[in-house]
Amino acid sequence: MFALLARILPDFLFRGLSRVLDYRLEMAQTDARREETRADLAKSVAATGGNVAVAQMQFKAFWIPWLIAAGAASLWYGWGMMDSLFNGALPDVAALPPQLERLTTRIFDSLFYSGAAMGVVQALSNTLGRK
């Protein structure tokens, strides 16, 4: 009886352990596939968003509200900078609501990044033009 138990028990335990490990491996592969799918989806959403933004920029109707928003955001930002410069002597600037803060962040990012990109292009063209 003991010999039979000693022979069957390790086989039973190892088979059970093997099933548990196979299950965990399958779950890990499923999680990896899920993360891979999420990454692919994020890439396609980013590419689509970029294509939509580029398509929108081709119309004058896009630039009118964008310039209105950029002008107001620049005034707000400038007032905050002047208030900081004069050590709080000017009336305080109100905090932006979260929706406008996201928009303002995107506006300033696009302004500064496009300005930096144009600076790089200008520096390269000046360098290449001298040679």
Side-chain angles (χ1 to χ4, degrees):
M1 173 81 169
F2 183 71
L4 181 65
L5 192 61
R7 195 170 28 133
I8 294 176
L9 188 61
D11 186 43
F12 177 74
L13 289 176
F14 288 130
R15 196 174 321 142
L17 181 62
S18 174
R19 286 182 183 162
V20 168
L21 291 176
D22 287 344
Y23 173 76
R24 292 299 299 159
L25 180 62
E26 183 179 323
M27 292 304 295
Q29 289 172 347
T30 302
D31 289 342
R33 284 190 207 114
R34 191 176 299 134
E35 288 301 319
E36 195 174 291
T37 303
R38 282 186 187 141
D40 289 344
L41 180 63
K43 285 179 189 174
S44 70
V45 166
T48 302
N51 292 340
V52 168
V54 168
Q56 287 174 343
M57 290 179 189
Q58 295 175 359
F59 299 100
K60 289 181 184 178
F62 168 81
W63 291 105
I64 294 168
W66 191 90
L67 287 172
I68 291 170
S74 296
L75 287 173
W76 172 83
Y77 191 72
W79 188 267
M81 295 294 284
M82 293 301 290
D83 187 38
S84 296
L85 181 67
F86 292 115
N87 202 17
L90 299 175
D92 288 338
V93 175
L96 287 175
Q99 301 88 349
L100 290 178
E101 193 169 350
R102 282 196 309 261
L103 175 65
T104 304
T105 302
R106 290 186 69 184
I107 288 171
F108 282 118
D109 285 349
S110 66
L111 284 174
F112 291 128
Y113 290 147
S114 62
M118 289 309 297
V120 168
V121 167
Q122 208 169 24
L124 283 174
S125 66
N126 288 339
T127 303
L128 294 175
R130 290 181 190 160
K131 291 182 179 184

